[in-house]
Amino acid sequence: MSTQTSHGQSHGGAGLAALVAGAVGVVFGDIGTSPLYTIKEMFHPHFGLTPDPATVKGLLSLGFWSLVLVVTLKYVVVIMRADNDGEGGIMALTALAQRSLKQGSRLAYTVGILGIFGAALFFGDGMITPPITVLGAVEGLEVVSPLFKQWVLPISLVMLTALFAFQRFGTASVGKAFGPIMITWFVVIAGFGVWNIVQHPIVLRALNPYWAWLFFTTHDWHAVLILGAVVLTVTGGEALYADMGHFGKQPIRWGWFGFVLPALVLNYYGQGAVLLRHPDAVANPFYMSIPGWAQVPMLVLATTAAMVASQAVITGAFSVTRQAIQLGYLPRLQIKYTSRDTIGQIYVPSINWMLFAAVVVLVLSFRSSGALATAYGLSVTGTMLIDTLLLAIVAYTRWPDTRKWVLPLCAMFLLIDVAFLFANGAKLMSGIGAWVPLFIGITAFTMMRTWRRGRELLHTEIRKEGIQLDSFLPGLMLSPPVRVPGTAIFMTADKGVVPHALLHNLKHNKVLHERNIFLTVETLSVPYAAKGERLKVTSIGDDFYRVLIRFGFMETPDVPQALMQTCDQCDLVLDPMDTTYFTSRETIVASPHRNMPAWRDKLYALMHRNAAPATGFFHIPGNRIVELGTQVQI
């Protein structure tokens, strides 16, 4: 029997097993390491809870049903149906929802705003996950011996520094080890969970939702605030959907139902059993649920698993960045491809070191996983809420046969998401910690919106000052300039306007090439452009051509390779060694009292000035490009 991934590749039983193992190693790293700190955070002093039997069972029940309703039902069962040509994640879901709406409508605009904000919140999550996970693992040293407490911070910083420094080499080689490491992790935590449950099996009564209901009825509104810690059980759930394109739906679902969910539940309930027997274990329930002889080996395994979980989040940040660049929400950044075989193996230096700087600041500021947990959750729950809203739009517009049962589920998911968001929002009143992810998210959102709006204004100004191509070419042919051998490719964002680079070339060099191509690169709202949509070539007379190249938002925009397809579509033959690319690089001049506030004009100018050159981003050889400058006021 065989199965298919979302891209249509057929896999037999062995192929499915390999994909399941890979998914366990990459997809479940974040949610799989949550047991390190979740139960401990539930009994943080600021919640004022004591580990009595009713409270322990109530919190375990809340955690279990959160895993069932949020991760299992919402993400694994329902939202993974909303694949954008096999791809998942908030950017893919946003593009899918926008395709269902009238282009340019207010609702389509609102959906775009929601998607950008969700992606911005992801960067907040990406900055907090590595330090909280690594600190949570290394804090096991305090359980082994209190003398080691002073070493937790420096060891964590060294490990995080090594993790970010290694990114430039790529994860292709160590990625093969992720699956076995995480499989070992889940087997071990499940085993110790069973070992503790056997000694106190009464803890299994907490599977009954009655205990969650009892917790709420006895703690009133205070119980809602506890959801700020309960949400830690489901952090990383969005990764199941985001990584769907890499592994396919079935391997992720098999990995969750057959392996990860049982392991997590067994470990959480094992920690609960320890608390029922020894309430003083609340200081670090995870490590105190491990027998003394296994604590040091578990410390090593937990630290390794934490590094894997952090790696998955960092890789996710690189992927979201590339999608945002392709969709026009971020400037071109230098992207390095670290694998010849896997296009998803990328390294974005600026994002890597920005994350690293933020991680170091967070570790030195918060100094423990418990303190960081107060800052964790707001960005995650915000993203989950946006996912629910986008899912409802997709279900209503694209699923006429199933929306009658999906939309009621969306209403339930919305209620849960709002409760989680309210609980984490309440942390904003308790100190500056909870403001960290919100500040990161708002900063990223502001930059993405400024870049998008700035590009629109720039293109409007260029179009306003530009000359229409249809009227320019006939006039040019009346007094044709000298033609020189070769092909000139003028890159332009507006198909109907004469590129500034061509005007400058005529003005200064007073020549035209033998063949001239006006090239526009367009990004589609689907992950991968169909073969028939990739390239459109139009001859506009006298060896002038208009070429449109389309890429999906998950693709690498390799312009020279795409242009080689022109030989199959028309009589235009390109010799790479006889082709010159011309681009114009605009210098942005901020103008007060116009379209955007002056500070946003200056921010856009700064981002535009530091954008990576077209050569690397479009894979154009550096010795084949001529860049001409022009000044634009916005």
Side-chain angles (χ1 to χ4, degrees):
M1 185 176 178
S2 66
T3 186
Q4 281 192 321
T5 68
S6 54
H7 294 305
Q9 296 171 310
S10 182
H11 297 274
L16 176 60
L19 285 170
V20 171
V24 169
V26 174
V27 177
F28 302 108
D30 189 2
I31 197 169
T33 51
S34 295
L36 284 167
Y37 47 80
T38 298
I39 301 294
K40 177 183 175 183
E41 175 58 19
M42 289 177 179
F43 289 98
H44 193 283
H46 65 243
F47 289 124
L49 298 179
T50 55
D52 58 81
T55 301
V56 171
K57 291 176 187 175
L59 291 172
L60 288 176
S61 186
L62 281 171
F64 172 74
W65 287 103
S66 295
L67 286 170
V68 169
L69 295 176
V70 176
V71 182
T72 306
L73 183 58
K74 177 180 173 180
Y75 280 102
V76 177
V77 175
V78 180
I79 207 169
M80 285 179 70
R81 294 165 52 89
D83 65 289
N84 190 341
D85 287 358
E87 291 293 333
I90 193 162
M91 297 295 280
L93 185 61
T94 301
L96 184 65
Q98 285 186 310
R99 286 216 309 272
S100 310
L101 304 170
K102 183 180 178 182
Q103 191 172 6
S105 67
R106 185 175 295 275
L107 183 55
Y109 174 79
T110 304
V111 165
I113 293 291
L114 282 174
I116 300 170
F117 192 60
L121 289 174
F122 178 84
F123 288 105
D125 181 27
M127 291 177 183
I128 295 178
T129 295
I132 193 174
T133 308
V134 172
L135 278 170
V138 179
E139 282 168 356
L141 285 170
E142 300 176 28
V143 178
V144 174
S145 172
L147 297 175
F148 292 138
K149 184 176 181 178
Q150 60 182 327
W151 293 101
V152 170
L153 214 59
I155 290 175
S156 298
L157 284 172
V158 167
M159 295 185 65
L160 288 166
T161 301
L163 177 67
F164 282 95
F166 186 79
Q167 295 304 311
R168 63 192 181 96
F169 298 109
T171 57
S173 55
V174 297
K176 297 175 183 177
F178 284 4
I181 289 171
M182 294 309 295
I183 288 172
T184 303
W185 166 256
F186 286 118
V187 168
V188 170
I189 65 171
F192 283 119
V194 171
W195 183 69
N196 285 299
I197 291 170
V198 167
Q199 297 180 57
H200 207 82
I202 198 172
V203 75
L204 293 176
R205 291 183 179 179
L207 292 170
N208 189 335
Y210 162 78
W211 291 99
W213 173 257
L214 181 65
F215 183 86
F216 267 95
T217 56
T218 54
H219 290 82
D220 298 322
W221 279 102
H222 185 61
V224 178
L225 302 181
I226 307 299
L227 292 177
V230 175
V231 73
L232 297 175
T233 59
V234 298
T235 55
E238 211 261 354
L240 279 67
Y241 176 52
D243 284 311
M244 184 171 63
H246 294 289
F247 300 98
K249 300 176 187 178
Q250 193 169 349
I252 292 176
R253 285 172 172 163
W254 273 98
W256 176 252
F257 285 113
F259 199 71
V260 178
L261 178 61
L264 290 174
V265 172
L266 287 170
N267 188 261
Y268 282 130
Y269 277 68
Q271 292 185 49
V274 171
L275 287 177
L276 291 177
R277 296 198 319 271
H278 307 292
D280 57 332
V282 74
N284 197 321
F286 177 81
Y287 279 106
M288 290 187 178
S289 68
I290 309 298
W293 58 268
Q295 284 181 348
V296 173
M298 175 56 84
L299 177 66
V300 175
L301 179 60
T303 305
T304 308
M307 298 287 276
V308 172
S310 301
Q311 176 62 62
V313 172
I314 296 168
T315 303
F318 293 161
S319 179
V320 169
T321 299
R322 182 174 66 173
Q323 292 178 47
I325 293 170
Q326 287 286 75
L327 291 170
Y329 292 116
L330 284 175
R332 292 188 302 262
L333 300 175
Q334 183 186 20
I335 297 176
K336 295 184 177 181
Y337 296 85
T338 58
S339 171
R340 293 183 179 179
D341 305 316
T342 309
I343 198 170
Q345 296 285 346
I346 60 174
Y347 168 58
V348 187
S350 56
I351 297 298
N352 184 67
W353 296 116
M354 179 187 70
L355 286 174
F356 173 66
V359 162
V360 170
V361 170
L362 288 170
V363 170
L364 294 176
S365 301
F366 290 90
R367 308 183 73 82
S368 72
S369 62
L372 264 171
T374 63
Y376 203 36
L378 194 60
S379 57
V380 177
T381 51
T383 303
M384 288 180 172
L385 176 62
I386 293 170
D387 281 341
T388 299
L389 295 173
L390 295 176
L391 174 66
I393 293 171
V394 171
Y396 183 77
T397 56
R398 301 179 71 93
W399 299 348
D401 298 331
T402 57
R403 65 188 180 193
K404 62 181 67 174
W405 63 267
V406 174
L407 289 177
L409 284 178
C410 286
M412 182 186 70
F413 298 150
L414 187 65
L415 182 64
I416 296 171
D417 293 335
V418 168
F420 277 136
L421 189 64
F422 176 80
N424 285 280
K427 296 177 183 178
L428 296 173
M429 309 301 294
S430 61
I432 63 170
W435 288 94
V436 171
L438 189 61
F439 174 76
I440 294 169
I442 290 174
T443 301
F445 175 76
T446 301
M447 294 178 70
M448 293 167 84
R449 279 300 303 160
T450 298
W451 179 257
R452 180 78 166 193
R453 178 62 177 153
R455 283 181 78 231
E456 291 172 356
L457 295 175
L458 175 62
H459 292 158
T460 299
E461 290 297 320
I462 291 175
R463 202 175 299 119
K464 189 189 303 180
E465 299 172 3
I467 302 171
Q468 290 300 309
L469 191 60
D470 292 339
S471 60
F472 173 77
L473 289 181
L476 182 68
M477 293 304 106
L478 291 175
S479 55
V482 175
R483 294 273 186 140
V484 295
T487 302
I489 298 178
F490 298 94
M491 302 188 71
T492 175
D494 194 321
K495 298 186 285 288
V497 176
V498 180
H500 278 173
L502 172 60
L503 296 175
H504 282 294
N505 189 44
L506 282 172
K507 179 179 179 181
H508 297 291
N509 299 323
K510 298 179 175 56
V511 296
L512 271 180
H513 281 70
E514 185 181 1
R515 289 173 299 277
N516 296 274
I517 296 173
F518 303 116
L519 172 65
T520 301
V521 179
E522 195 175 272
T523 301
L524 302 175
S525 61
V526 295
Y528 303 95
K531 189 175 181 180
E533 289 185 311
R534 171 75 71 209
L535 194 68
K536 182 181 179 182
V537 181
T538 306
S539 175
I540 51 180
D542 203 37
D543 284 320
F544 279 87
Y545 299 86
R546 185 183 283 124
V547 176
L548 174 65
I549 302 178
R550 298 183 181 97
F551 294 101
F553 62 79
M554 289 293 291
E555 293 185 277
T556 302
D558 191 327
V559 167
Q561 185 183 61
L563 280 173
M564 289 300 102
Q565 297 178 24
T566 54
C567 298
D568 302 329
Q569 296 198 18
C570 66
D571 58 357
L572 179 61
V573 179
L574 296 178
D575 179 1
M577 300 307 296
D578 198 28
T579 300
T580 304
Y581 294 82
F582 289 84
T583 66
S584 60
R585 189 168 180 88
E586 299 83 5
T587 299
I588 306 300
V589 179
S591 176
H593 312 301
R594 289 189 71 177
N595 299 286
M596 289 194 298
W599 68 269
R600 289 187 70 190
D601 283 339
K602 292 176 181 177
L603 174 60
Y604 176 71
L606 178 66
M607 295 171 72
H608 191 276
R609 193 162 54 246
N610 288 282
T615 48
F617 188 78
F618 291 115
H619 289 247
I620 299 170
N623 60 350
R624 308 305 308 172
I625 194 163
V626 176
E627 196 171 71
L628 300 168
T630 184
Q631 208 173 67
V632 180
Q633 191 176 61
I634 62 170

